[in-house]
Every structure is written in structure tokens, then in C-alpha cells.
């Protein structure tokens, strides 16, 4: 995506608890003379800020023009991940455009390559099995998280439907009461004017 200097760009990532999140980015700056994006000038860096669903800052760090960051969520929910350049130029006075290549991986598990390349096949199979078990554990954790979210959504929907039903009943009672009151008022008016 494209961004201006000093402009903050954020994404919201829905992450289960105890999940590793890895982000990689690369920044390119716009060259006015060449009319293309070039590799970033030295000294240009990016502030990376990660905020938890409870508005607590989990990560706030300055990286270079190309970098990688990671964090482990301890709460399930929407984490806000923001990038902002550390440029000192004013945006209105010569601030240029930036192109940011951003890759976020949630729940990434890596194999230990030294174990995989070991000559002992038993260790290799054992390492691969451990990796598969980790992936199964992660998938199970994500499914439980989605199940919790679905249950919360269902409860909210049921409460809303219940409130709508009661609101309809209250409206009907109010309309009937107003109708009865109007009929009684008109009847009393006609009786007082001796029209009936």
C-alpha cells in the first residue's frame, strides 16, 4: 500500500490468545526525478505499534526501512498493528510518498532446520511429528476461539430479538391505549356538546 511520510497506517488482526504473530515489511520512497519508487534512503525507519483489544500497547519499537517484528498475543481479539515512518520532513513541505510491502503471518510455526537436516531419520520424523502436533494444537485453539466468538454473537442476536419482541409488544399496548383514550375523549366531547 502507499502512504505519506509521517502518516500512520493500521490494520486490525483478529488473533486468538497465545498465538505468535510475525510481520515483515519493506519501505520504498518515491523519487521525484526518476518518477519511480526506490529503495529507502538511509535513516528512514518505521515505528511499529501493536495494541491489544484492551487498548494496552504490546509492542512499540523503531525499526529500519526493512524489518521483521513478532509478538505473542496473550488476549484473544482484535489487535491493532500500526506502521508510521520516522521522517522528520513536514508532509506539506516536500513530504514524499512511501510504498510499504507488508506481510503478516498469524500462528506461524517453524521447523528447526538443523534437526530436519540431521542424518538420523528418527529425529527427523520425530521433529516433523512435533511440528504437526504444534500445528494441530494451533488449529484447535483457533477453532475454540471461533466457537467462543460464534457463541457470543448468538447470545447478542438472541438478546436483540428478545428486545425487538418486547418493543413490539410495548408499541402495540401504547397504540391500543391511545386508541381507547381517543374514543373515550371523542365520546365525552360529543356527549358534552349534546351531539349524541
Amino acid at each position: 500500500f502507499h502512504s505519506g511520510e509521517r502518516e500512520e497506517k493500521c490494520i486490525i488482526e483478529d488473533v486468538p490468545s497465545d498465538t505468535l504473530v510475525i510481520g515483515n515489511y519493506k519501505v520504498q520512497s518515491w523519487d521525484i526525478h526518476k518518477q519511480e519508487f526506490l529503495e529507502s534512503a538511509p535513516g528512514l525507519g518505521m515505528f511499529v505499534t501493536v495494541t491489544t483489544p484492551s487498548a494496552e500497547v504490546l509492542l512499540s519499537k523503531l525499526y529500519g526501512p526493512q524489518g521483521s517484528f513478532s509478538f505473542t498475543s496473550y488476549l484473544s481479539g482484535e489487535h491493532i498493528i500500526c506502521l508510521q515512518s520516522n521522517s522528520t520532513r513536514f508532509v506539506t513541505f516536500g513530504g514524499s510518498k512511501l510504498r510499504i510491502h507488508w506481510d503478516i503471518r498469524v500462528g506461524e510455526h517453524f521447523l528447526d532446520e538443523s534437526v530436519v537436516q540431521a542424518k538420523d531419520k528418527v529425529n527427523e520424523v520425530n521433529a516433523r511429528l512435533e511440528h504437526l502436533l504444534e500445528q494441530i494444537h494451533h488449529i484447535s485453539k483457533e477453532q475454540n476461539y471461533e466457537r467462543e466468538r460464534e457463541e457470543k454473537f448468538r447470545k447478542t442476536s438472541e438478546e436483540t430479538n428478545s428486545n425487538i419482541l418486547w418493543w413490539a409488544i410495548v408499541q402495540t399496548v401504547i397504540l391500543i391505549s391511545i386508541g381507547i383514550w381517543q374514543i373515550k375523549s371523542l365520546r365525552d366531547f360529543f356527549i358534552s356538546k349534546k351531539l349524541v
Side-chain angles (χ1 to χ4, degrees), residues 120-192:
D120 187 10
K121 294 293 183 186
V122 174
N123 286 340
E124 181 180 343
V125 170
N126 189 20
R128 291 194 184 275
L129 282 175
E130 287 178 8
H131 178 69
L132 288 173
L133 287 173
E134 277 185 22
Q135 287 181 329
I136 289 170
H137 178 68
H138 176 68
I139 290 169
S140 173
K141 192 169 26 175
E142 279 191 7
Q143 286 178 336
N144 288 337
Y145 175 62
E146 291 299 325
R147 202 172 289 121
E148 289 171 10
R149 287 185 62 206
E150 190 272 333
E151 184 178 332
K152 184 178 177 184
F153 178 75
R154 188 173 354 103
K155 284 181 182 177
T156 304
S157 297
E158 288 172 359
E159 288 173 5
T160 304
N161 286 339
S162 172
N163 290 341
I164 289 172
L165 175 66
W166 284 109
W167 179 245
I169 291 171
V170 167
Q171 281 182 328
T172 304
V173 168
I174 289 172
L175 285 174
I176 291 172
S177 301
I178 290 174
I180 292 171
W181 176 77
Q182 284 181 338
I183 291 172
K184 184 180 178 316
S185 297
L186 281 174
R187 191 177 60 132
D188 290 345
F189 174 75
F190 289 142
I191 289 174
S192 69

Side-chain angles (χ1 to χ4, degrees), residues 52-169:
T52 64
S54 62
E56 181 183 338
V57 176
L58 190 62
L59 173 71
S60 180
K61 191 172 178 185
L62 176 64
Y63 293 92
Q66 182 171 341
S68 177
F69 61 91
S70 64
F71 65 92
T72 302
S73 64
Y74 65 90
L75 283 176
S76 57
E78 295 179 342
H79 288 68
I80 301 170
I81 305 169
C82 298
L83 288 178
Q84 182 180 16
S85 74
N86 69 341
S87 173
T88 57
R89 295 193 291 185
F90 291 111
V91 177
T92 55
F93 301 113
S96 68
K97 293 185 289 185
L98 300 175
R99 177 185 286 168
I100 301 172
H101 302 271
W102 199 355
D103 178 38
I104 300 285
R105 291 184 307 244
V106 177
E108 195 75 19
H109 296 284
F110 297 105
L111 283 172
D112 186 3
E113 290 299 325
S114 63
V115 174
V116 173
Q117 294 174 356
K119 295 187 190 234
D120 187 10
K121 294 293 183 186
V122 174
N123 286 340
E124 181 180 343
V125 170
N126 189 20
R128 291 194 184 275
L129 282 175
E130 287 178 8
H131 178 69
L132 288 173
L133 287 173
E134 277 185 22
Q135 287 181 329
I136 289 170
H137 178 68
H138 176 68
I139 290 169
S140 173
K141 192 169 26 175
E142 279 191 7
Q143 286 178 336
N144 288 337
Y145 175 62
E146 291 299 325
R147 202 172 289 121
E148 289 171 10
R149 287 185 62 206
E150 190 272 333
E151 184 178 332
K152 184 178 177 184
F153 178 75
R154 188 173 354 103
K155 284 181 182 177
T156 304
S157 297
E158 288 172 359
E159 288 173 5
T160 304
N161 286 339
S162 172
N163 290 341
I164 289 172
L165 175 66
W166 284 109
W167 179 245
I169 291 171

